[in-house]
Amino acid sequence: MRSFGQKVSRAMSLLGVAILIAALVSAALPMQRTFAADALPVLILPVDKAQFLPGARFDFRVEVHAEALPENFKVTVNGEDPSTLFNAQPTTEQWKFGRNETPSTSLIWRGLSAPQPGDYTVEVTAGATVKRVTWTVRQPLPGNAKNVILFIGDGLSVAAVTAARALSRGVREGLSNDKFVFENFEALGLVSTSSVDSIMADSANTASALNTGHIGSVNATGSYSDTSPDTLDDPRVETFAQMIKRTRGMAVGSVTTADLSDATPAAVWAHGRDRRDLNRNTYLTQVLDENIGIDVLMGGGARRFIPKAVEGSRRADERDVFAEYETAGYAVVTTRTEMNAALANNPQKMLGIFHPSDLSVWLDRNVFTDNLGQFTDQPGLVDMTVAALEILKQNPNGFYLQVEAASVDKQMHPFDIERALADLIELERSIAATMDWLRENGKLDETLILVTADHAHGFDVYGTVDTAKFDAGTTDLERREAIRVYNAALYPTYEDKDGDFFPDDWAPSIVFAWGVNNFPDHSEDFRVSRTPRVPARCQNVGEGDAAKVVCANNPDDDPNGIVMNGNLSPSTGSGVHTLQDVPVYGTGPGAERLPVSNHQREVFFVMAGAIGLDLTAPDGKVVAATAAPEQQISVAGFSLPAELSGVFFLVVGLALGFAVSRRKVAA
Amino acid sequence: MYHLQHFLRSVCLTALLIALSACNAESSARITPLPTLPPNLTRTPTLTLPPLSTLAAQLPTLAATATPLENQLPFGGARAMALATDTALQPTPRSPIAFDQFPVAIKFDEFYSGYSIRQGLLLSDKLVSLDGKRVMIEGYMAPPLKPELDYFVLTRIQLSFCPFCSTAADWPDDIALVYMPEASPVQATDRPIRLYGTLEVGMNMDAETGMFSLVRIYAERMEIIN
């Protein structure tokens, strides 16, 4: 073995050779200096077509991928110097990024806002590059809702709702015996979920789009992803919670069945480019450090709250985050019993953390309780939602609550379909409990309720499986004969005789035949799994340049199942998110503004419009006199959409003209 | 090309390990032993907070090395460092268990008696009673950084990814840091392994990687189970 000194000297000599080669190459090429004639890559954040509310806070970054800004470098917004227009000074930053150590020189203006509605065209000149993006600041919309509740079924697609409804309510001679409560809402729209950097979606930037109105890149929350090494310094956009907190003094809650630092719950308040480990820990302390003021936080993830030196911690610092929340006035609870006891004292703020990581799913809490380990006293989503409402209602200014059923997605990934659909039914029960609570508290008419997904999974039902016949099969071909389609499918035999809205037996004789449109190598027996599924196992293979990950069928998972040959990259061990639009169900004031079809960022503007949010008004409310001209026109007490008003006047005009001409004829 | 990739990977690893360790980065490979801690910082598995936080507050003051791009310690150096430094934090069991013979077989699922949401993992009496005793344990080698090892992470289940190598990967709770004897480093394997050695329990930071460990095994020998 070589000594360290020998290695250093070898490295130095290699470095010397590299420098020599670099010098020779650069001498042979034209000088790589920044000239006005060079077309330099320019990144402008926020991106083109970004939309804002007037007064919403954001950071503005311009990156030029060069060692220095060229002499002709210029930034204008609507022809003006942004520093003058926004009354703020930029900071210059430099770094290198990527495998090729690409240099970046950047200006960033922080904490800007555009008070006037209209288009803002940003033009950046850098060398031969002239790049323009246009932002739109929208008119604030009037609205009288006092509260907003956003339910997110993570990974909830229309197909998942259909299957869960059939499991929960049953279908007889074609008709569902009952609807889900949110299927009685008065508004429904479809929203697309694509990201700035990818046509595909991730829970971070999609939940962020719902909460900020800005689309963002995969893994990013409350920010546009720049190229700097720091994943927390990316240009930020303000969240709905921050806006209503600072201008309206409303109460805010985020409730989830996931680790609280996970992408969806954290999108209510957090800012960072990378949803992974270290940032997740930071998101939990951002609430306190940046005084964001989230009143109710409930979910799992205890291991991110305890100091690094404590065994079982996932923090990288020594902060005792539980203690910090307690000091900040939160009632900190760790079991359902503690939560209910604490509620008796009418706490203003609550932190409920009930599991080291994600909370256990409904099926494990209620059926396969052996999987709970020692965590037998976890609240369900219904308990947490109602508890959060009880705390939030104390604020006279109203509240915003985001409730996430996280494990629809978390269980769809490994095709643990019964666990996913049970958690979807639990979400529906939470919505039903919320409706009851709002009715009892006289708040139903002043609350906008939205139910949506951040993105979908490629799941659908295509028939039924005769499980006895399936099990009698000895080959895959014989097992496949137990799969029944079209009229042969008949009906599955799930039953809910005890009326709890969940099937009494999760393994009846006839079950759904379902599939997903993307999967690794795995086997499938269509049966509920007693323990959480691991459909494929992955291995590191090879070394150096040949190193890669290969996932293969897990022989311990559904050993009796049909072997499915994967259609994903071998390095992917579970199903992935899919492209389809997802539904948004809405009820209450403002729900009528749900788009028929739009990007999911529109949900943010629907929420803001419902409460008449105007960040430039002293009380944060759209004033009636200066209210934005809504796309409606009122004639003799009748309200007509703008599109129809033309027709109305045309008809009136024609009628009048006709009457006049008749009179002329008569005269 | 291979060297470049190797270098980039090392850089990533370095950043990760520095982040993991909260160590005071120093450019040299100087090793400073942990100072002797006052007796009131002796850790027991039943300690209530805040003594752990107090301990935690002290740990960053312990000078650590920068994570080297390559192993800069001689083989066995990390073991010697760990042996020299980890006795200060020995826990004591609530109900000590006496064992008839050594080595005692211990399984990963016997490490902890539970998890307290506010205090983290609770050490089992069996684990703590075996502190300083000879044990036999089976598990898997976590995908390592290099082919020839004088120390590695032993896990209950086979990990598919090298947690050292990816920021997204998480170490499971059921792990032990294994130091092989100086004279006999081992080859990396993905087979299940059986280890004989002396168990040490107590929070310690590895001198080379800055990795915190609660359970360490100073191995005498390793067998590959077929």
Side-chain angles (χ1 to χ4, degrees), chain A residues 138 141 150 182 185-191 210 448-452 582-607 609-610 630:
Chain A
R138 293 168 55 157
L141 299 171
L150 175 63
F182 56 84
F185 285 5
E186 62 264 24
L188 170 62
L190 289 173
V191 291
L210 297 171
L448 170 70
I449 305 173
L450 299 176
V451 180
T452 188
V582 293
V584 193
Y585 304 84
T587 187
E592 71 278 2
R593 292 203 188 99
L594 276 181
V596 170
S597 180
N598 204 330
H599 191 277
Q600 67 191 156
R601 72 171 175 184
E602 192 63 21
V603 171
F604 162 83
F605 293 98
V606 170
M607 298 198 298
E630 263 227 274

Side-chain angles (χ1 to χ4, degrees), chain A residues 123-152:
Chain A
E123 185 175 296
V124 175
T125 309
T129 303
V130 178
K131 185 168 177 181
R132 284 181 204 88
V133 304
T134 300
W135 308 326
T136 301
V137 177
R138 293 168 55 157
Q139 282 283 359
L141 299 171
N144 294 319
K146 204 171 162 191
N147 316 304
V148 176
I149 306 177
L150 175 63
F151 288 95
I152 300 178

Side-chain angles (χ1 to χ4, degrees), chain B residues 131-151:
Chain B
D131 187 21
K133 306 283 195 331
R134 293 184 62 230
V135 297
M136 186 274 282
I137 186 167
E138 295 175 358
Y140 292 88
M141 206 179 264
L145 298 173
K146 48 185 182 165
E148 199 184 36
L149 308 160
D150 63 335
Y151 66 94

Side-chain angles (χ1 to χ4, degrees), chain A residues 422-439:
Chain A
D423 270 42
L424 201 163
I425 300 171
E426 187 187 34
L427 171 68
E428 192 266 344
R429 291 292 82 209
S430 307
I431 298 163
T434 300
M435 303 286 283
D436 290 344
W437 184 92
L438 290 169
R439 210 171 282 120

Side-chain angles (χ1 to χ4, degrees), chain B:
Chain B
M1 193 57 206
Y2 172 76
H3 286 289
L4 178 64
Q5 284 208 346
H6 195 74
F7 172 73
L8 285 171
R9 236 171 63 186
S10 309
V11 170
C12 296
L13 268 170
T14 309
L16 170 71
L17 291 177
I18 288 173
L20 271 172
S21 64
C23 54
N24 301 331
E26 287 178 18
S27 53
S28 75
R30 188 165 54 81
I31 311 281
T32 312
L34 299 173
T36 312
L37 290 165
N40 64 337
L41 289 177
T42 302
R43 190 180 175 207
T44 74
T46 51
L47 273 183
T48 50
L49 296 174
L52 276 180
S53 340
T54 319
L55 167 61
Q58 307 240 345
L59 279 171
T61 64
L62 311 174
T65 57
T67 305
L69 297 184
E70 292 178 54
N71 189 344
Q72 296 178 359
L73 288 172
F75 270 106
R79 175 184 171 114
M81 287 294 309
L83 263 173
T85 56
D86 72 357
T87 47
L89 303 174
Q90 268 180 354
T92 49
R94 274 171 299 186
S95 327
I97 302 171
F99 300 97
D100 295 342
Q101 56 180 350
F102 292 98
V104 177
I106 182 164
K107 296 176 182 165
F108 277 109
D109 57 14
E110 295 171 323
F111 274 22
Y112 306 110
S113 58
Y115 188 104
S116 157
I117 297 270
R118 298 286 298 264
Q119 293 170 39
L121 284 162
L122 308 173
L123 312 189
S124 72
D125 283 337
K126 175 168 181 180
L127 180 75
V128 178
S129 299
L130 284 169
D131 187 21
K133 306 283 195 331
R134 293 184 62 230
V135 297
M136 186 274 282
I137 186 167
E138 295 175 358
Y140 292 88
M141 206 179 264
L145 298 173
K146 48 185 182 165
E148 199 184 36
L149 308 160
D150 63 335
Y151 66 94
F152 58 89
V153 175
L154 186 74
T155 61
R156 180 175 62 85
I157 52 167
Q158 194 169 10
L159 293 187
S160 39
F161 301 98
C162 161
F164 278 126
C165 312
S166 157
T167 52
D170 240 355
W171 283 108
D173 292 324
D174 310 329
I175 59 170
L177 197 52
V178 176
Y179 294 102
M180 295 308 295
E182 181 176 349
S184 49
V186 292
Q187 301 295 314
T189 175
D190 59 358
R191 302 294 310 152
I193 55 174
R194 183 179 298 129
L195 286 154
Y196 296 88
T198 303
L199 185 83
E200 290 283 352
V201 183
M203 197 56 78
N204 192 34
M205 189 169 67
D206 182 67
E208 186 157 0
T209 59
M211 180 174 171
F212 277 90
S213 66
L214 184 73
V215 179
R216 289 165 300 289
I217 293 159
Y218 299 99
E220 296 152 16
R221 64 193 167 95
M222 180 185 111
E223 296 168 359
I224 293 176
I225 306 171
N226 283 305

Side-chain angles (χ1 to χ4, degrees), chain A residues 55 63 131 140 166 172 184 200 207 342 354 467 480 666:
Chain A
E63 283 186 30
K131 185 168 177 181
R172 191 167 162 271
N184 292 314
M200 299 314 299
F354 308 104
T467 58
R480 281 164 58 186

Side-chain angles (χ1 to χ4, degrees), chain A residues 38-96:
Chain A
D38 293 335
L40 298 171
V42 168
L43 178 65
I44 303 172
L45 302 173
V47 297
D48 193 29
K49 297 188 180 122
Q51 298 194 345
F52 300 82
L53 282 180
R57 289 180 183 160
F58 67 99
D59 299 337
F60 170 30
R61 188 188 280 291
V62 176
E63 283 186 30
V64 178
H65 293 165
E67 294 282 2
L69 295 174
E71 283 167 14
N72 69 340
F73 178 76
K74 194 178 176 193
V75 183
T76 61
V77 179
N78 285 351
E80 286 189 59
D81 177 358
S83 301
T84 315
L85 183 69
F86 295 113
N87 191 26
Q89 288 307 311
T91 309
T92 307
E93 297 170 355
Q94 285 189 311
W95 61 80
K96 289 189 166 52

Side-chain angles (χ1 to χ4, degrees), chain A residues 1 4 7 10 99 101 274 276-278 302-318 320 322-323 326 332-334 353-356 374-375 537-540 543-545 547 549 551 571, chain B residues 1-3 5 8-9 19-22 43 49 52-53 56-57 59-60 70-73 75 112-121 123 143 147 158 160-162 167-173 190 203 212 214:
Chain A
M1 193 187 146
F4 175 56
K7 284 178 190 169
R10 182 160 166 262
R99 281 172 184 272
E101 297 275 292
D274 189 341
R276 287 171 290 183
D277 243 11
L278 297 178
R303 56 193 188 163
R304 302 185 183 282
F305 283 81
I306 54 182
K308 171 186 174 179
V310 176
E311 187 63 10
S313 168
R314 285 294 184 279
R315 288 201 74 78
D317 58 30
E318 308 300 350
D320 181 348
F322 276 122
E326 245 161 12
V332 175
V333 296
T334 60
I353 300 297
F354 308 104
H355 197 279
Q374 69 175 97
F375 303 100
R537 284 226 179 106
C538 305
Q539 297 277 331
N540 286 335
E543 279 184 41
D545 283 348
V549 175
C551 303
S571 62
Chain B
M1 193 57 206
Y2 172 76
H3 286 289
Q5 284 208 346
L8 285 171
R9 236 171 63 186
L20 271 172
S21 64
R43 190 180 175 207
L49 296 174
L52 276 180
S53 340
L59 279 171
E70 292 178 54
N71 189 344
Q72 296 178 359
L73 288 172
F75 270 106
Y112 306 110
S113 58
Y115 188 104
S116 157
I117 297 270
R118 298 286 298 264
Q119 293 170 39
L121 284 162
L123 312 189
Q158 194 169 10
S160 39
F161 301 98
C162 161
T167 52
D170 240 355
W171 283 108
D173 292 324
D190 59 358
M203 197 56 78
F212 277 90
L214 184 73

